[in-house]
Amino acid sequence: QKEVEQNSGPLSVPEGAIASLNCTYSDRVSQSFFWYRQYSGKSPELIMSIYSNGDKEDGRFTAQLNKASQYVSLLIRDSQPSDSATYLCAVVSGTYKYIFGTGTRLKVLA
Amino acid sequence: NAGVTQTPKFRILKIGQSMTLQCTQDMNHNYMYWYRQDPGMGLKLIYYSVGAGITDKGEVPNGYNVSRSTTEDFPLRLELAAPSQTSVYFCASSFGQAQETQYFGPGTRLLVL
């Protein structure tokens, strides 16, 4: 079982719709969770971080964490073509163990 | 602030050649990391450092070496390049421990032929 799993996609949504991206992880003691956005040929940039169970909202983005079920999700409301990118889930266990998923490619159709 | 800078942006190496990938950050971050990203894959940690003079191995350290003589610089050394090291290399830094946000450099694309 991979430590951090994401559906590779592509996930295609129409402009204005809600995009839902999911990530599951295997280490129960994981403490910190991040969503990074990576445009093609560019470096990852942080979208959201979440540390406790529940929802965290920032503009059009909402991160959801459920530690009991070991999953974290990212919702993008009112999706725009500029949101088209690969979204990487990262899970941290311990002091340095920062594990990335393989990413989900999102395509927002105009 | 320039953030995290990496040089070169792109390099072609022949099998068996060596090179150093440079990484510098100007944010006074303690933690620095080297990752590689193969096409369609996530990021794999090569080496990391928690401060000047302290480095440790990540998931995929074979074929690489690092040093950290200053807070700002964290070079990655490839001694005997192999085709399997063809990848995009990202350097990242964070202020404190891994629980904090990592800031990435623009990456170095390496092709080994």
Side-chain angles (χ1 to χ4, degrees):
Chain A
Q1 180 187 8
K2 293 181 181 178
E3 293 183 88
V4 179
E5 293 205 52
Q6 295 181 255
N7 188 319
S8 62
L11 172 66
S12 296
V13 299
E15 184 176 358
I18 296 175
S20 178
L21 305 163
N22 299 311
C23 171
T24 59
Y25 59 94
S26 60
D27 189 347
R28 285 193 168 276
V29 300
S30 298
Q31 304 145 348
S32 307
F33 308 85
F34 301 87
W35 283 100
Y36 285 82
R37 178 176 63 198
Q38 187 176 26
Y39 291 113
S40 181
K42 301 295 185 182
S43 57
E45 56 180 340
L46 181 73
I47 297 295
M48 295 280 289
S49 60
I50 187 166
Y51 304 97
S52 54
N53 280 329
D55 296 359
K56 179 181 178 183
E57 187 175 319
D58 184 1
R60 295 186 296 113
F61 300 95
T62 299
Q64 299 174 318
L65 175 60
N66 184 324
K67 290 186 178 181
S69 299
Q70 295 176 240
Y71 83 80
V72 57
S73 62
L74 179 70
L75 300 178
I76 306 175
R77 290 182 297 281
D78 188 23
S79 295
Q80 301 297 310
S82 59
D83 294 325
S84 297
T86 296
Y87 289 80
L88 301 170
C89 172
V91 175
V92 180
S93 302
T95 57
Y96 86 89
K97 197 172 181 183
Y98 208 103
I99 306 298
F100 284 87
T102 55
T104 298
R105 191 156 61 97
L106 173 67
K107 296 176 70 174
V108 180
L109 308 173
Chain B
N1 274 354
V4 181
T5 57
Q6 292 182 239
T7 57
K9 290 184 179 179
F10 176 65
R11 181 78 181 267
I12 298 175
L13 279 183
K14 293 182 179 178
I15 294 172
Q17 286 186 322
S18 61
M19 77 164 293
T20 298
L21 283 67
Q22 302 290 346
C23 175
T24 300
Q25 54 90 10
D26 62 359
M27 297 175 282
N28 200 31
H29 284 174
N30 295 314
Y31 279 54
M32 296 187 74
Y33 312 83
W34 273 107
Y35 294 93
R36 60 176 288 172
Q37 186 176 36
D38 299 327
M41 302 296 289
L43 296 155
K44 297 290 187 183
L45 182 64
I46 305 171
Y47 271 94
Y48 71 102
S49 170
V50 302
I54 307 171
T55 63
D56 207 346
K57 297 177 181 179
E59 297 176 78
V60 290
N62 292 343
Y64 307 95
N65 279 299
V66 294
S67 60
R68 182 109 181 260
S69 57
T70 67
T71 299
E72 294 78 20
D73 300 307
F74 190 39
L76 178 71
R77 179 81 177 165
L78 282 72
E79 290 295 348
L80 292 170
S84 60
Q85 293 178 304
T86 293
S87 190
V88 179
Y89 291 83
F90 289 104
C91 179
S93 70
S94 64
F95 181 71
Q97 295 186 358
Q99 287 83 357
E100 300 191 15
T101 302
Q102 294 193 6
Y103 296 87
F104 286 82
T108 293
R109 188 174 299 273
L110 177 66
L111 181 60
V112 182
L113 299 174

